Amino acid sequence: MKKKIFFVVLVLFIVFFNSMILIISIVILKDKLSAIREKCLAEHYVIASSLIGDMQALEQRGNHMEENIDNLMRLYSRYLQGRGNALAVAFSGEWIYESPTFASEENRIFPPDTGYSQERLVYMKNGNSPVLCVYGSFPAPWQDYGLMYIGNLSDTIQSWRHTKNILFLTGAAVILMMSFFLFQFLNIIFRPLRQISSTSAKIANGNYGSRIPVHGKDEISSVAHNFNLMSEQIENQIKQLEDAAEQKQQFVDNFSHELRIPLTTIYGYAEYIQKALMSEEERYECTQFIMSECSRLQNMAYQLLDMALLRKDEMKDSNCSVKELFAKSEKAMYMRASEKKIRLTYVFSQNYIVRGNLEQLLILINNLIDNAIKASQQEDEIRISAYSEESAIVMEVEDHGIGMEIEQISHIKEAFYRIDKARSRAAGGAGLGLAICERIIQIHHADMSFISKPGVGTIVKLFFSV
C-alpha cells in the first residue's frame, strides 16, 4: 500500500513539476524572443532611416543607388557582422546587396512582397541556425527598395537551452529531495498501521496483552485507540473463556472424584456380599452402606438437575410473600432439623413482598438452612429472619456452628467444594448447595454475603432490591 501511494504521488509530482518547468521555459523563451524582436525592429528602423538619408545625398550628387550600394552598406554590415547579424537590400523583388553572413545558397531568403506598403514584416527562419527577419519597404520615391535585417538567434536559443537545462537539473534535484521526504512522511503516516499489523499478529499468536501506543488525535490515532479497545475486549473475553473452561474442568474433576468414592464403596460391598460368607446381620449392614451411597448419588443427581434447570430458566415476573415462603420452608425443614434436635426460629416484623419466584427462593432458603443444620451441634438454634434495610429487603440465616475461615468463604460457592469433606460426606452432602444458591441469586439480581468466624458461627444475608 505504502509503495503504491509513494509511486503514484511521485509520478504525479514529476509530471506536474516538469510541466511547470516546461511552461516557465516557454515563457522565458517568448520573453527573450520578444525582446530581440523589439531590438531588431529598432535597429532596422535606425538603419533604414540612415540609409534613406544616404540615398537622398547620392541623388543630389547625381549618383545612382545601384552603383554605390556596396559602399553605402559596407559600414552598416561591418557594425552588425561582429554580432552575427546581417543586412540585405532588395530592388524590385531581387537582392542587390547581401552581407557576407546573409545566407548560403540553399538557405537563401527571398524578399517578401509588401505591396509597396511601408509596413514591416517580422518572421523567423529555421535553417541551420534560427534567425529573426525584419523586412520593410522604403517610402516613395524609393518604394521599389526594401531593407532586410536578419538577427542571429543562436546565442539566444543557446542561452535559453542552458537556462532550461539548469531548471530541469534543479527540478531533478528537487524531485529527489521530495522523494526522500515523501518516503519519510509515508513512513511516519504508516507507522501506526505497521504497529497495528504487528500487534494484530501478536494477538493472533496468543499475546492478548499487546497494545498500540496512541499519539495525537488524527484518524490513524483514532483507529489505534479503537484497536486497543478491541484488543482489551478480546483479552477480557479470552480471560472469561479461560476462567469458564477452568471452572468446567474443575467441575468435571470434582464430579469424577465425587462419583469415584460412592461407586468404589458400592462395588466393594457388593463384591464382599458376593464372595464372602456372612451372617444376615452383616449382610444387612452391607446393604445399608450400599443404599446410603446410592441415596447420596441420587441426591447429587437431583442437585445437578436443579442446576441444569436453573441455567436455562429465568426469573418469572412475579411477587413472593416472605410469610408464605417461611411457612413452606418451616414445613419442609422441620423433620431435617428434628433429627439433630435443632430449633428453627423464623422472625419477621411484617409480611414483606420480594420480586421473585417462590419455588426457586424456597430452594435457596432450604439449602442455606440445610448447610446451617450440617454445621450446627445437637440442640442448637438456627434463626431465619427478614427485615428492611435502606432500599432492600434482607433475609438472614444465622447459625452457631463450626464457622469458616476468610479464605474458605471465597470458595464455598464453587461446585463440589466442601470445608470438611469427611463431615459432608457423612451427612450425604455433595457440595452443590451453595452453587445452586448462587445461581438463584443471579437469576433474581440479588446479592448474597457471608459473615463467619471459626467456632462462633455463620450469618448468610440475602439482599433483594425493592
Side-chain angles (χ1 to χ4, degrees), residues 7 18 39 46 56 68 73 106 157 169 177 256 267 306 310 312 325 342 348 382 440 466:
F7 284 115
N18 285 337
K39 182 180 179 181
V46 171
Q56 289 176 345
N68 297 281
M73 299 300 297
E106 61 274 12
I157 298 299
L169 287 175
M177 291 179 61
S256 301
Y267 183 82
D306 288 340
L310 288 172
K312 295 176 183 177
L325 175 65
I342 292 174
F348 54 94
I382 297 175
I440 294 174
V466 178

Side-chain angles (χ1 to χ4, degrees), residues 31-42:
D31 289 341
K32 286 181 177 290
L33 291 177
S34 178
I36 293 174
R37 180 179 182 278
E38 295 300 325
K39 182 180 179 181
C40 291
L41 284 170

Side-chain angles (χ1 to χ4, degrees), residues 197-367:
S197 176
S198 174
T199 305
S200 61
K202 291 179 182 178
I203 292 175
N205 291 328
N207 187 5
Y208 302 107
S210 299
R211 297 292 183 271
I212 302 171
V214 180
H215 305 288
K217 295 182 179 179
D218 55 4
E219 289 79 4
I220 299 295
S221 300
S222 177
V223 171
H225 176 71
N226 292 332
F227 184 88
N228 286 341
L229 291 178
M230 180 188 70
S231 302
E232 187 175 351
Q233 292 293 330
I234 291 175
E235 184 180 13
N236 293 336
Q237 290 180 5
I238 292 297
K239 222 173 253 187
Q240 291 174 2
L241 291 174
E242 289 176 350
D243 292 342
E246 185 177 354
Q247 290 175 1
K248 287 180 180 179
Q249 185 60 45
Q250 186 178 1
F251 178 87
V252 172
D253 294 341
N254 292 338
F255 183 62
S256 301
H257 179 72
E258 293 297 328
L259 284 178
R260 181 177 59 83
I261 294 175
L263 288 176
T264 302
T265 302
I266 292 171
Y267 183 82
Y269 278 106
E271 187 178 28
Y272 180 71
I273 292 172
Q274 185 184 38
K275 295 182 179 179
L277 294 174
M278 59 181 66
S279 64
E280 287 297 324
E281 184 179 353
E282 290 176 330
R283 189 183 300 275
Y284 177 78
E285 289 179 358
C286 290
T287 54
Q288 281 294 107
F289 277 115
I290 292 174
M291 291 176 64
S292 175
E293 293 302 314
C294 287
S295 176
R296 192 154 72 87
L297 287 175
Q298 186 182 41
N299 184 40
M300 188 188 304
Y302 286 150
Q303 288 184 322
L304 287 173
L305 180 60
D306 288 340
M307 289 185 67
L309 293 174
L310 288 172
R311 190 174 295 114
K312 295 176 183 177
D313 293 342
E314 294 295 333
M315 180 188 68
K316 296 179 181 179
D317 189 10
S318 60
N319 294 324
C320 173
S321 166
V322 171
K323 181 179 179 181
E324 183 181 1
L325 175 65
F326 281 6
K328 286 181 176 289
S329 174
E330 186 175 9
K331 290 180 181 179
M333 301 305 295
Y334 174 76
M335 293 301 297
R336 178 79 176 88
S338 62
E339 292 174 0
K340 294 179 70 173
K341 299 180 180 179
I342 292 174
R343 186 170 69 257
L344 300 179
T345 304
Y346 291 84
V347 179
F348 54 94
S349 59
Q350 65 183 63
N351 185 19
Y352 296 103
I353 303 297
V354 296
R355 183 173 174 270
N357 182 272
L358 176 62
E359 296 300 326
Q360 292 178 356
L361 292 179
L362 186 61
I363 294 173
L364 171 63
I365 291 293
N366 288 347
N367 270 324

